[in-house]
Amino acid sequence: MDITAFLDRKLTRRFETYDSDQDGFIQRSDFERAGSRTTAAFGLSDDDRRARRFHEHLLGVWDHLSAMTDTNDDGQISLAEYKLAFTRRLLERPESFDDSYLPFLDALMAVADQDGDGHLGVDEYVRWSGALMNLPPADARVVHARLDHDGDGLVGTEDLLAAIRAYYFSEDVDGPGAWLFGPLD
């Protein structure tokens, strides 16, 4: 897989959102901290069923990412290792996200969808994306608006999944996927 200049910028941005302590490496502890911030942002205790499920899926994402990218087996992922994984076809096709991301998104929705309507309003979106990925509220509002295709103020699991696919596979600089993790510049 060739990494275009645009994909390179997106991979760098995604790496930054994973690296919650900004030490230049992605580690399991980054995922643990992000998970704790997210469930706490929604007032869930560690023993809450939704919190446990969310943490389990989030750490599953870490396990998968680590297994695919930690080439020197040191328990952390550098930006170079992260990008190298993409040149080696970590992502072969957009549909490959369904198996790994859909269960995670379902667990996220169980935490963040406070009114249980199956969608995220702007306030719910701002809260989870800020807690999980340190996305500033103003950026999160812009992302939410870009993902809200029908203008009803709500974003669902399918919207998120489509944006994740587009983030990694689309070269559309104005598409909703391009802004999934905030501005690239």
Side-chain angles (χ1 to χ4, degrees), residues 7 20 27 31 39 42 48-50 53 64 74 88 97 101 104 111 113-114 131 141 150-152 157 168 172 184:
L7 179 57
S20 65
Q27 302 156 326
F31 281 72
T39 55
F42 289 93
D48 184 286
R49 175 186 53 80
R50 294 168 297 168
R53 181 173 169 238
H64 177 73
D74 64 354
R88 294 185 174 166
F97 281 94
Y101 271 98
F104 170 74
V111 169
D113 178 18
Q114 291 201 295
R141 283 184 180 82
D150 60 7
D152 66 357
T157 301
Y168 293 105
D172 182 359
L184 297 174

Side-chain angles (χ1 to χ4, degrees), residues 140-162:
R141 283 184 180 82
V142 170
V143 173
H144 184 274
R146 286 175 169 257
L147 299 181
D148 179 14
H149 301 291
D150 60 7
D152 66 357
L154 302 171
V155 171
T157 301
E158 286 302 317
D159 298 317
L160 290 170
L161 188 59

Side-chain angles (χ1 to χ4, degrees), residues 40-89:
F42 289 93
L44 300 179
S45 65
D46 289 341
D47 62 344
D48 184 286
R49 175 186 53 80
R50 294 168 297 168
R52 286 192 320 267
R53 181 173 169 238
F54 177 72
H55 289 284
E56 175 184 311
H57 283 286
L58 185 59
L59 291 178
V61 171
W62 159 255
D63 290 340
H64 177 73
L65 185 63
S66 177
M68 300 300 289
T69 59
D70 185 8
T71 57
N72 62 0
D73 210 22
D74 64 354
Q76 58 186 11
I77 303 164
S78 69
L79 180 58
E81 286 175 315
Y82 185 69
K83 289 180 179 180
L84 180 62
F86 286 86
T87 64
R88 294 185 174 166
R89 301 199 179 270

Side-chain angles (χ1 to χ4, degrees), residues 112-147:
D113 178 18
Q114 291 201 295
D115 58 11
D117 66 355
H119 297 86
L120 299 175
V122 68
D123 292 333
E124 294 165 325
Y125 193 91
V126 167
R127 194 179 319 167
W128 84 262
S129 61
L132 185 64
M133 303 177 301
N134 293 313
L135 194 61
D139 291 344
R141 283 184 180 82
V142 170
V143 173
H144 184 274
R146 286 175 169 257
L147 299 181

